[in-house]
Amino acid sequence: MSIIIKNCISILDAKWFGINPEATIDNISIDSRSLQNSTHTLFFALVGPNNDAHHYIKDLIENGVKNFVVTHVPPNCEDSANFLIVENTLAALQQFAAYYRSLFEFPIIGLTGSNGKTIVKEWLNFLLSPDYNVIRSPKSYNSQVGVPLSVIAINEKHNLGIFEAGISTVSEMDKLETIIKPTIGVLTNIGSSHDEGFADLEEKIQQKMLLFQDAEVLIYQKSAQIEKHISAKTKAFSWSFKDENANVFVFKKEIASHETTLFYTYKGNSYELKIPFIDKASIENAISCLMVLLYFDYESDAIQSRMEMLFPVEMRLEVKNGINNCTIIDDSYSSDFQSLKIALDVLESQNQFQKKTVILSDIFQSGFPNEQLYAKVAQLIVSNKINRVIGIGTTISEFKDTFSNCITFKTTAEFISNFEKLDFSNESILIKGARSFQFEEIVTLLEEKTHETVLEINLNAISYNLNFFKSKLKPKVKIMVMVKAFGYGNGGLEIAKLLEHHKVDYLGVAFADEGISLKNGGIKLPIMVLNPESTSFSAIIQYGLEPEIYSLKGLHAFLKIAKQKNLSHFPIHIKLDTGMHRLGFEENTVDEMIAILKGNTNVRVQSILSHMATSDDSKYYDFALSQIVLYDKLSSKIMTELEIHPIRHILNTSGISNFPDTQFDMVRLGIGLYGVSNDAEEQKKLENVGTLKSIISQIRTIPAGDSVGYGRRFMADKQTKVATIPIGYADGIARAWGNGVGYVTIKEQKATILGSVCMDMLMVDVTEIDCAEGDEVIIFGENPNVSFIAEKLNTIPYEILTSISQRVKRVFYR
């Protein structure tokens, strides 16, 4: 891309306010945090429910960005950059992408549906890339923002596009259709995902079909419900298991242990096709790919040879603990230029070390000549401040000198044979390689070795839940996020890095050592310590933490140290007891506290807070209101008498939803971030964050009359197949969850826990489940979820989450 900015005025119907109309644009950005922003970046200042990118323009200008699409020019920026002023910056981004798409004439495959879009896209890329230079959506970039960013990545060397479009409500697809303008449409499975955004299934289908209104052909599973929405100018190319009138009729399936043989007819001829999958979803997705190959007139032998090589698609990028105190960013199944840019942004968002290494294979399907491609990669490496590049592959080896600190190997095997000579310690490592390089072997070498039970943390879900609660806030209300107790058991530092990336205002921890750990990990956000002990005050000051002060004794102790250290206006947070009766200044001690603070310059009251006891219980609504009224009264008194304007906050997660009119200056988000709500309707809108997984270690069959586990608390009344799982109460599984009370999920079926939960193991009934040793076991996640477990154990979800032992490895992914 190379566009003169003055040409964007007419493209965007914008007003011009700038200093250099001849400036050239070669990059589009919406992320102020990206290190890839540069002088030639055009930054679209998007405005969301609780975030406005206009606030970051001044910082971007200081970092060298000179071109912006805005709704208004921020103060004091008028003579510093080029501004294209529009009514709506998201609409302008989409408008720009639609214009850019119009510059290219090659075939575009557009995919939509409820399930399977990303998998079909990745498989089509694999199947067609030997013959085409393919541009495709990176990862799951299928949203109102993701689609335009995907399309803008097209360059002159591409000759086939594959873009997916996802919608969650009406009036979204027409915008995406204008951007993608597919010539070939593929409709994947229509299921129940995102049903809440549509009146019924009929409306959902009608909206999704808008993507294909100008397409030359539509590929779909034959259905009268779909066909009534196909445009008259669009050719229908259908397949079916049941209707012989479909263009392709699949009349037989033979499923073996690891593969499926499909028998199908097309144009009067019969064919056989073997694919390496047995599950229903993969079979349907593979047929969608078959249909595209048939439409492109591929011979049956070529179809068979390519489709038998299809592979499971790893759609997530994982953050893992590595050897020698390293952090591993595992994106080891793809290598293209666009996804590299995304992975580098993730590396920066999760980075906790000064040293950053990228292990990179040859890059495929960039659309650029190799010289230009690796020059662009080197530029990315420099802008992201990467310290070391390890290249693997014959092509990247040829361009070794393009990078400033680079070592290369021709093959993965050569890298592995030299592994002991390479020093990996105290650094963040991005591992990014095409599937053919088998970089999973490198991940295995670098990954910290722990037992086979893991707690998987979905970072996308955390981002989603954060934005869900931020959308409930009034403008300018700040947000503190609680990361105490190791991020409610989910992993403190990694989540804190993500929250810092999202620019939350404060982090909250319980004790000083938690805050010190975060600061040592590189966290720069202000951190409030809610339960500081007086013995930790010196460390709190040393590490720049901010203590909650909740008693006269604590106030005197902190002021004494502050005076000794000659502090000036050090931030403290005053806690008021308004009815929780746990910690805080009571009403009868407020006057004395005010008297002590009057005229004191060693400290500054940064905020005044209190804690609600019943924000989640409607039967105590009046009591909760009385707390709020008392808090308002006492905090107002402190502000008036001390002549200060601190941040005021009392609402926790439940309070955000139940008392929206009393948000004051800040709210404190806790367990809601981790996908748990006390309200059943709100729970449906949150995404599950943590999934605790293990495997089956051993399976045995016992006769009637035999027992399982300590104390013979389970006695088999019939022949029973028993699976042993390597997780127990030392890992955080309550013993009360055993003896038939609880269950795990194996192959999407419930497996009841038999007998007592042991320290390191538990046993389950798999008599009716077709499973094998090594199969995956879900301890909790979507089913069962922590709220269900808590209800059965007569406790709260907090206890379930925070009980998971530190010996259980945390794996973070996007």
Side-chain angles (χ1 to χ4, degrees):
M1 174 192 296
S2 181
I3 295 178
I4 305 298
I5 193 170
K6 69 179 180 182
N7 295 336
C8 296
I9 299 172
S10 58
I11 294 170
L12 302 180
D13 299 321
K15 294 180 181 178
W16 169 257
F17 192 97
I19 58 176
N20 180 16
E22 300 300 323
T24 58
I25 305 300
D26 63 13
N27 178 44
I28 301 297
S29 176
I30 62 167
D31 188 351
S32 63
R33 301 158 296 194
S34 176
L35 297 180
Q36 296 158 34
N37 294 324
S38 70
T39 305
H40 299 293
T41 293
L42 179 59
F43 183 85
F44 284 77
L46 301 188
V47 179
N50 205 58
N51 194 31
D52 186 346
H54 291 79
H55 298 323
Y56 312 125
I57 288 177
K58 188 174 181 182
D59 291 339
L60 284 164
I61 291 173
E62 291 176 358
N63 290 329
V65 181
K66 298 297 182 184
N67 308 291
F68 299 90
V69 178
V70 297
T71 59
H72 62 278
V73 179
N76 304 317
C77 295
E78 294 86 350
D79 300 321
S80 305
N82 297 319
F83 295 97
L84 296 164
I85 303 171
V86 298
E87 289 187 10
N88 183 305
T89 49
L90 173 58
L93 175 66
Q94 296 170 337
Q95 198 169 339
F96 182 89
Y99 160 78
Y100 190 74
R101 161 68 180 92
S102 71
L103 303 178
F104 300 92
E105 294 293 332
F106 54 75
I108 298 285
I109 300 173
L111 298 110
T112 194
S114 301
N115 307 293
K117 298 184 294 294
T118 302
I119 292 170
V120 172
K121 177 197 69 185
E122 293 299 322
W123 283 353
L124 285 176
N125 174 66
F126 168 77
L127 294 167
L128 297 171
S129 59
D131 307 307
Y132 295 90
N133 201 341
V134 180
I135 174 71
R136 71 192 191 281
S137 312
K139 300 294 182 182
S140 295
Y141 267 43
N142 60 22
S143 66
Q144 298 292 301
V145 174
V147 167
L149 292 178
S150 300
V151 168
I152 289 168
I154 297 173
N155 69 48
E156 291 75 11
K157 300 296 182 180
H158 293 124
N159 57 12
L160 178 68
I162 309 174
F163 299 108
E164 56 177 296
I167 59 172
S168 55
T169 189
V170 298
S171 303
E172 290 185 344
M173 188 61 86
D174 52 348
K175 299 182 181 69
L176 301 186
E177 189 277 336
T178 303
I179 299 168
I180 297 175
K181 280 294 177 191
T183 56
I184 300 166
V186 178
L187 182 67
T188 63
N189 176 270
I190 297 290
S192 59
S193 300
H194 304 295
D195 273 357
E196 63 274 9
F198 305 96
D200 50 31
L201 180 61
E202 181 70 21
E203 182 179 64
K204 185 177 185 178
I205 292 173
Q206 181 267 330
Q207 289 292 311
K208 288 186 177 291
M209 291 292 287
L210 291 175
L211 179 63
F212 312 121
Q213 56 189 301
D214 291 323
E216 297 170 6
V217 63
L218 172 64
I219 292 168
Y220 66 103
Q221 185 172 8
K222 191 169 179 60
S223 161
Q225 198 170 18
I226 290 169
E227 286 166 348
K228 64 183 176 181
H229 295 292
I230 299 178
S231 168
K233 54 189 174 184
T234 299
K235 175 185 175 182
F237 190 42
S238 63
W239 67 272
S240 179
F241 290 123
K242 300 177 181 178
D243 191 337
E244 294 185 28
N245 293 317
N247 298 96
V248 176
F249 177 55
V250 184
F251 59 89
K252 189 178 180 183
K253 292 184 291 183
E254 290 182 356
I255 298 177
S257 57
H258 298 293
E259 70 175 16
T260 300
T261 302
L262 300 175
F263 298 88
Y264 66 94
T265 59
Y266 174 55
K267 291 184 176 180
N269 296 313
S270 295
Y271 302 92
E272 179 180 319
L273 175 66
K274 291 183 178 179
I275 55 175
F277 303 100
I278 61 174
D279 61 289
K280 178 176 179 286
S282 294
I283 292 171
E284 290 189 4
N285 291 333
I287 293 174
S288 292
C289 294
L290 165 66
M291 296 293 288
V292 173
L293 296 181
L294 291 173
Y295 182 74
F296 276 46
D297 291 326
Y298 277 81
E299 296 292 335
S300 59
D301 289 346
I303 292 174
Q304 178 61 70
S305 64
R306 295 189 187 188
M307 291 195 65
E308 68 186 5
M309 296 172 65
L310 289 179
F311 47 84
V313 174
E314 184 59 68
M315 291 185 291
R316 57 191 211 181
L317 181 153
E318 295 186 336
V319 184
K320 303 174 178 178
N321 291 330
I323 60 173
N324 304 326
N325 194 36
C326 290
T327 295
I328 308 300
I329 314 295
D330 178 6
D331 197 14
S332 55
Y333 291 101
S334 67
S335 181
D336 60 84
F337 187 66
Q338 282 304 109
S339 65
L340 174 61
K341 294 170 70 174
I342 296 169
L344 286 169
D345 278 340
V346 175
L347 171 63
E348 183 59 27
S349 73
Q350 287 295 313
N351 182 48
Q352 50 190 284
F353 302 101
Q354 288 187 340
K355 185 178 177 183
K356 293 185 284 188
T357 292
V358 172
I359 302 176
L360 183 67
S361 79
D362 288 347
I363 296 175
F364 302 127
Q365 303 161 315
S366 70
F368 302 111
N370 282 336
E371 293 80 2
Q372 186 179 358
L373 167 64
Y374 287 99
K376 285 179 172 289
V377 172
Q379 186 178 3
L380 281 181
I381 295 298
V382 170
S383 62
N384 281 272
K385 302 176 183 177
I386 304 301
N387 305 93
R388 174 172 60 160
V389 175
I390 299 175
I392 299 177
T394 55
T395 306
I396 197 171
S397 295
E398 292 175 11
F399 292 91
K400 174 183 176 181
D401 293 339
T402 308
F403 306 95
S404 60
N405 183 18
C406 180
I407 181 173
T408 60
F409 302 95
K410 294 292 180 64
T411 65
T412 302
E414 185 183 348
F415 167 88
I416 291 172
S417 67
N418 286 275
F419 180 76
E420 296 300 329
K421 302 175 186 176
L422 301 169
D423 176 31
F424 293 102
S425 62
N426 300 302
E427 60 188 300
S428 295
I429 306 168
L430 170 62
I431 301 173
K432 184 144 187 66
R435 170 169 286 275
S436 58
F437 284 87
Q438 297 180 315
F439 270 18
E440 63 270 20
E441 296 180 22
I442 296 176
V443 174
T444 301
L445 282 174
L446 285 168
E447 192 174 2
E448 184 180 50
K449 306 304 183 285
T450 56
H451 67 318
E452 293 164 309
T453 296
V454 299
L455 180 60
E456 293 186 345
I457 310 300
N458 185 339
L459 295 175
N460 291 82
I462 288 180
S463 298
Y464 174 89
N465 295 336
L466 173 66
N467 289 327
F468 172 80
F469 284 102
K470 285 175 73 174
S471 71
K472 293 174 174 282
L473 303 184
K474 298 175 182 177
K476 298 184 179 179
V477 172
K478 299 178 185 295
I479 188 165
M480 173 187 287
V481 180
M482 310 308 296
V483 290
K484 61 183 181 178
F486 192 54
Y488 289 66
N490 292 287
L493 180 57
E494 291 81 1
I495 291 173
K497 292 294 292 186
L498 179 65
L499 296 172
E500 188 166 63
H501 193 64
H502 280 293
K503 299 184 184 292
V504 303
D505 300 284
Y506 259 90
L507 298 178
V509 298
F511 299 105
D513 58 350
E514 294 176 310
I516 291 170
S517 177
L518 294 180
K519 287 295 185 183
N520 284 335
I523 297 298
K524 296 178 176 61
L525 282 175
I527 299 173
M528 177 178 161
V529 183
L530 282 84
N531 306 335
E533 298 157 319
S534 58
T535 54
S536 69
F537 283 160
S538 292
I540 284 174
I541 293 168
Q542 178 185 346
Y543 285 91
L545 305 174
E546 301 179 15
E548 174 189 286
I549 304 297
Y550 51 81
S551 68
L552 293 171
K553 179 182 177 182
L555 180 58
H556 282 299
F558 191 82
L559 289 177
K560 181 179 178 181
I561 294 177
K563 187 174 182 180
Q564 290 171 352
K565 293 182 178 292
N566 197 29
L567 300 181
S568 176
H569 302 287
F570 192 91
I572 63 172
H573 301 262
I574 298 296
K575 175 71 169 289
L576 301 175
D577 180 8
T578 57
M580 180 79 167
H581 297 330
R582 187 172 63 179
L583 292 175
F585 289 95
E586 295 179 286
E587 187 171 8
N588 61 7
T589 61
V590 167
D591 286 336
E592 187 174 351
M593 179 261 291
I594 291 173
I596 294 169
L597 287 173
K598 267 188 178 177
N600 190 298
T601 59
N602 295 120
V603 298
R604 176 185 78 251
V605 178
Q606 179 73 4
S607 83
I608 304 172
L609 66 148
S610 188
H611 195 82
M612 299 179 71
T614 60
S615 63
D616 59 341
D617 196 335
S618 59
K619 70 182 178 184
Y620 292 117
Y621 184 80
D622 290 340
F623 177 78
L625 282 181
S626 72
Q627 278 197 267
I628 293 169
V629 169
L630 179 57
Y631 168 74
D632 191 23
K633 170 188 168 184
L634 296 180
S635 59
S636 297
K637 179 178 182 178
I638 296 169
M639 292 166 63
T640 300
E641 298 204 18
L642 292 180
E643 298 181 347
I644 58 175
H645 298 281
I647 301 167
R648 294 199 293 170
H649 49 113
I650 188 173
L651 298 185
N652 55 5
T653 296
S654 297
I656 293 171
S657 300
N658 296 333
F659 296 91
D661 295 328
T662 58
Q663 294 174 358
F664 292 98
D665 304 303
M666 185 162 73
V667 298
R668 302 188 301 273
L669 177 61
I671 200 163
L673 181 76
Y674 307 99
V676 177
S677 173
N678 291 303
D679 180 85
E681 288 305 308
E682 185 173 80
Q683 182 66 60
K684 295 176 184 177
K685 299 174 183 177
L686 297 178
E687 292 192 357
N688 179 67
V689 168
T691 301
L692 182 59
K693 292 182 176 181
S694 193
I695 64 163
I696 297 175
S697 294
Q698 190 174 24
I699 295 176
R700 61 174 47 78
T701 300
I702 63 171
D706 273 20
S707 62
V708 173
Y710 287 116
R712 306 195 73 192
R713 290 185 175 87
F714 172 78
M715 303 288 292
D717 57 8
K718 60 180 180 181
Q719 181 172 291
T720 304
K721 187 166 68 169
V722 180
T724 300
I725 318 299
I727 184 171
Y729 60 76
D731 301 292
I733 307 303
R735 293 186 76 244
W737 190 232
N739 295 311
V741 174
Y743 67 90
V744 301
T745 300
I746 300 173
K747 296 291 185 72
E748 300 184 354
Q749 299 176 66
K750 291 182 180 180
T752 302
I753 298 174
L754 303 176
S756 299
V757 173
C758 308
M759 179 181 286
D760 309 300
M761 287 169 279
L762 57 82
M763 288 69 75
V764 299
D765 184 352
V766 293
T767 306
E768 304 299 326
I769 302 175
D770 181 15
C771 57
E773 293 173 359
D775 281 351
E776 181 179 86
V777 179
I778 304 297
I779 312 300
F780 66 65
E782 296 284 358
N783 179 30
N785 61 45
V786 292
S787 296
F788 175 83
I789 296 173
E791 181 182 354
K792 290 294 183 183
L793 297 181
N794 195 30
T795 184
I796 56 177
Y798 296 76
E799 184 176 351
I800 305 300
L801 287 174
T802 57
S803 295
I804 302 306
S805 167
Q806 292 299 297
R807 79 175 186 178
V808 173
K809 180 174 70 172
R810 271 69 173 174
V811 173
F812 300 85
Y813 70 92
R814 297 194 185 198

